[in-house]
Amino acid sequence: MSDLGAEYAFRRFFDDHHTDLSRLAYLVTGDSQAADDLAADAFVEVWRHWERVQAADSPIAYARGIVTNLARQWIKKQTRERAGLLRLGLLRRDRSESDTPAVLDVRAALQRLPQRRRECVVLRYALDVPEKEVAAILGISVGAVKSHTSRGAAQLSEYLRGMPLMMGGHHG
């Protein structure tokens, strides 16, 4: 394929999938600013490995895998930085339930799920990615995807049921 052809194909891929990959990054990280950056970084990686991406069974699955890995690294970095700030006493850990909005917040509930479950739930339900593809993206078995997804979905509905509907915290 000529350079021009490759560039054209990549641009089409970018146009077709940019929104989807940004949304994936957003749902995994819960941070819209980071999501745009992560999606952009993912496309840099996709372009760097464009021949390999195009040759893949599912180029979008390949790209989703990159986004998921970048999101995972971003979360680890945030967690490390936050832990450092907590140690320095610059952040208070006490954020009980007082900042829970009146509306049920699926994003907040998603953030409470363990990483792997959150990734499975987001890929399966928010983006409707088939189990086999989720397994390939995350590098785990289809059985593990099924188990993480069902546990994650159950946990999510549990959290959503337990979230207070009124403003302000509740103590119990």
Side-chain angles (χ1 to χ4, degrees):
M1 179 183 284
S2 72
D3 285 354
L4 213 60
E7 201 172 307
Y8 176 74
F10 174 75
R11 277 172 193 270
R12 278 214 13 233
F13 184 82
F14 181 92
D15 291 342
D16 290 349
H17 301 294
H18 183 266
T19 306
D20 185 41
L21 293 177
S22 274
R23 195 160 145 241
L24 170 59
Y26 176 61
L27 290 167
V28 172
T29 62
D31 184 309
S32 54
Q33 190 80 51
D36 290 339
D37 292 345
L38 292 170
D41 292 347
F43 276 109
V44 169
E45 282 301 299
V46 166
W47 176 244
R48 281 182 50 206
H49 304 290
W50 184 238
E51 279 183 28
R52 196 183 311 156
V53 174
Q54 280 193 303
D57 288 342
S58 170
I60 185 59
Y62 193 103
R64 284 180 179 142
I66 293 172
V67 169
T68 307
N69 283 332
L70 290 172
R72 197 176 293 138
Q73 290 163 14
W74 181 87
I75 288 168
K76 274 190 188 137
K77 183 172 172 266
Q78 296 304 306
T79 307
R80 275 197 313 270
E81 289 173 2
R82 203 167 292 130
L85 291 175
L86 278 168
R87 276 196 304 277
L88 292 171
L90 295 173
L91 282 181
R92 290 207 327 278
R93 188 170 266 135
D94 174 34
R95 289 213 344 257
S96 58
E97 242 95 18
S98 58
D99 59 354
T100 307
V103 188
L104 288 181
D105 191 348
V106 178
R107 270 201 336 266
L110 266 175
Q111 291 309 303
R112 292 170 65 185
L113 293 181
Q115 178 80 33
R116 193 58 94 190
R117 284 184 195 172
R118 179 167 65 230
E119 290 165 355
C120 287
V121 168
V122 165
L123 287 164
R124 288 288 298 122
Y125 294 124
L127 301 175
D128 203 24
V129 177
E131 283 171 345
K132 226 173 98 177
E133 197 178 309
V134 173
I137 290 169
L138 300 177
I140 57 179
S141 70
V142 172
V145 169
K146 287 179 179 175
S147 136
H148 284 306
T149 304
S150 71
R151 288 193 181 128
Q155 210 176 341
L156 197 58
S157 64
E158 188 79 13
Y159 287 154
L160 290 173
R161 261 201 310 277
M163 278 188 164
L165 286 165
M166 71 264 178
M167 288 303 272
H170 72 287
H171 304 283

